[in-house]
Amino acid sequence: MRKEKVISNYSGWSDYELSTLAGRILKAMQETTAQANFPQPNPAITVLEPLVNDYITKHEIASRRGSALEVSQKNESRYALLNALRSLAHYVNEVANGQLSLLLSTGMVLASHPSITQAPTMVEKVQLRDGRLSGQLRLDFKPVKAAWEYEVEIGTMASTGEITWNKVVLTTSSRGNVLSEMEPGVRYCVRIRTRNGKGTGDWCEPVSLIAR
């Protein structure tokens, strides 16, 4: 039986993809659950965080028609970050030992399954309902064939209708997902996209609900 693992080499990812992924991994590894499951990450979070922030900052500068020096600095920062993510992936794979829930909790991307031939399609029939307890929302949607995981982005909607996306949750289930720590009276928005070894699907249309 094939043992699940996360990708260790992200050198083929674009700067935009890598900066988004790096931010997601850092945030995931700072969560209490990840810290409990991976108590001695290599590199340590105190080392990873400045590498991620430095790369994101230099990427933003270089992407705005940066000078040759700024692009060079971004590339050097990218190289350092890629090495750090490679070491972290090896550590995660060793500790998780194929346990899918642990691998997904890191924000890293699962390695390819040989049978997958194309990126997954968009999620449909998304339903956001009240959870059993105050401050909870229940999320259900139609499963997508060939999807390994679902990336759920959560945001808040202002009275102007503007959405601020501020949290990402990963799940492998399309049913019974409980989103907790919601502030009662606030309108929350959720959108979902799928992922497998061939790529990432498009975001679905956001759905919203006021938490009770």
Side-chain angles (χ1 to χ4, degrees), residues 61-82:
I61 294 173
S63 65
R64 297 195 295 267
R65 296 185 179 181
S67 66
L69 174 60
E70 290 168 335
V71 172
S72 176
Q73 291 173 332
K74 180 268 296 180
N75 289 338
E76 291 173 355
S77 181
R78 175 187 171 95
Y79 180 77
L81 176 61
L82 287 172

Side-chain angles (χ1 to χ4, degrees), residues 89-185:
H90 290 321
Y91 167 78
V92 165
N93 285 330
E94 181 178 356
V95 173
N97 193 30
Q99 188 172 338
L100 189 59
S101 60
L102 294 186
L103 295 172
L104 292 175
S105 72
T106 66
M108 307 190 89
V109 179
L110 292 176
S112 297
H113 287 235
S115 60
I116 300 299
T117 59
Q118 61 185 9
T121 55
M122 186 186 298
V123 171
E124 298 178 343
K125 299 182 178 180
V126 181
Q127 293 183 323
L128 194 59
R129 293 175 287 182
D130 289 333
R132 295 179 60 184
L133 303 176
S134 176
Q136 289 184 344
L137 298 176
R138 171 172 169 154
L139 175 65
D140 300 285
F141 49 90
K142 184 179 179 180
V144 176
K145 185 178 180 180
W148 295 355
E149 63 179 350
Y150 302 96
E151 182 177 347
V152 180
E153 191 164 36
I154 305 168
T156 54
M157 179 181 287
S159 57
T160 59
E162 182 180 357
I163 302 173
T164 301
W165 301 105
N166 49 35
K167 184 177 181 180
V168 172
V169 176
L170 299 177
T171 179
T172 56
S173 174
S174 64
R175 305 290 298 176
N177 293 285
V178 177
L179 310 179
S180 58
E181 299 182 2
M182 303 295 166
E183 184 178 347

Side-chain angles (χ1 to χ4, degrees), residues 4-24:
E4 298 286 358
K5 62 181 181 179
V6 296
I7 294 174
S8 61
N9 184 2
Y10 297 96
S11 60
W13 288 46
S14 70
D15 285 322
Y16 287 99
E17 291 173 329
L18 183 60
S19 62
T20 300
L21 175 70
R24 189 182 82 183

